[in-house]
Amino acid sequence: MRIRVINPNTTASMTAKIGAAARAVAGPGTEIDAVNPEYGPVSIEGHYDEAIAAAAMLEEVRKGEAEGVDGYVIACFGDPGLLAAREVASGPVLGIAEAAMHAASFLSTGFSVVTTLGRTKIIAHHLAQAYGMAQFCRNIRACELEVLALEDERSDARRIITQECKRAIDEDEAGAIVLGCAGMTDLAKAIERELQVPVIDGVTVAVKFVEALVGCGLGTSKRGDLAYPIPKAYTGRR
Ligand code: 5HY
């Protein structure tokens, strides 16, 4: 099977990191296609960035459909354009926030999200509510790190994130941690070893969930609101 993992921001180093993490867990019969759009924000840090990135991400899903891609992961913690992507795709489409929150609810009775900037916390809060995960979500914490600090070797990102995860365990009584940025995908296992609780990276769990759904021969419903988009003219930029 072929799974397209889409980094909706346009930072190639993050796309490469996400692709490496996805390939590390993919099964022997799974080909991982890690891509990012040609246009859009270098990092997604709020509603405006998400809106621009979602449209660009959808182009990657449309291209995937023409190429016979079996399933998709939207590798951005805001799950931008998730339902729109499900309209376009025939196979499963998972966002990393939805996947990570559900995984955390299988492994603990309460999790905390640790994300980058405080201004994006409301996005995770809205998603937890939309996904029925509010009852499991103990807290949403921000490290006040810019997303691209995760791509900077000189930044202290790993220590700062680990400290916030420890505060979540101690203060929120979180049984598990959800990492609130695709760019944190390479930190999960090290933090888990240090803190001895499940630290869930949405990229890898989303890949395995998509694999499972495709493996069961399941795809996105094409009835009702997730039916393919109504054919129409799109003027100007598509
Ligand atoms: C992400 N932004 O996963 C989100 C995380 C965030 O560019 N990739 C981004 O901090 O909102």
Side-chain angles (χ1 to χ4, degrees):
M1 74 177 76
R2 193 168 158 198
I3 298 177
R4 179 155 292 183
V5 181
I6 306 170
N7 170 19
N9 75 40
T10 52
T11 295
S13 61
M14 193 175 289
T15 305
K17 179 163 67 172
I18 289 164
R23 288 184 191 98
V25 297
T30 299
E31 179 191 343
I32 297 291
D33 219 11
V35 301
N36 60 253
E38 283 135 39
Y39 71 94
V42 292
S43 63
I44 299 163
E45 297 172 317
H47 307 294
Y48 177 83
D49 291 343
E50 284 206 351
I52 306 285
M57 178 277 298
L58 289 167
E59 290 301 307
E60 299 307 316
V61 178
R62 276 178 3 91
K63 283 188 254 178
E65 288 302 286
E67 297 162 21
V69 166
D70 297 294
Y72 302 84
V73 170
I74 300 173
C76 173
F77 200 75
D79 295 353
L82 178 59
L83 290 180
R86 287 178 175 163
E87 279 193 31
V88 175
S90 53
V93 185
L94 265 69
I96 65 169
E98 186 179 33
M101 288 182 188
H102 279 87
S105 72
F106 303 154
L107 303 170
S108 68
T109 54
F111 63 82
S112 287
V113 175
V114 174
T115 191
T116 51
L117 293 175
R119 68 179 289 169
T120 69
K121 288 188 344 180
I122 190 66
I123 297 172
H125 179 72
H126 287 161
L127 290 179
Q129 288 185 311
Y131 298 150
M133 287 288 123
Q135 61 180 315
F136 297 104
C137 186
R138 295 274 182 274
N139 197 2
I140 298 167
R141 293 172 169 267
C143 302
E144 290 312 337
L145 279 171
E146 291 187 358
V147 169
L148 293 188
L150 296 164
E151 299 304 294
D152 180 353
E153 296 289 319
R154 295 157 304 172
S155 88
D156 211 5
R158 176 172 156 179
R159 186 186 60 77
I160 293 166
I161 294 165
T162 304
Q163 268 182 346
E164 198 60 41
C165 291
K166 183 159 186 349
R167 280 195 280 272
I169 296 162
D170 296 342
E171 298 166 17
D172 306 340
E173 297 183 349
I177 300 292
V178 166
L179 295 180
C181 181
M184 298 178 184
T185 185
D186 59 334
L187 303 178
K189 286 306 166 195
I191 297 173
E192 187 171 85
R193 280 191 298 274
E194 185 170 339
L195 300 184
Q196 291 297 295
V197 295
V199 175
I200 294 129
D201 149 54
V203 173
T204 46
V205 291
V207 166
K208 297 310 281 185
F209 285 161
V210 170
E211 257 186 354
L213 292 169
V214 173
C216 291
L218 292 167
T220 297
S221 173
K222 289 299 145 193
R223 300 264 316 149
D225 67 316
L226 295 184
Y228 294 115
I230 299 166
K232 64 189 67 175
Y234 289 78
T235 53
R237 182 185 185 82
R238 167 94 164 110

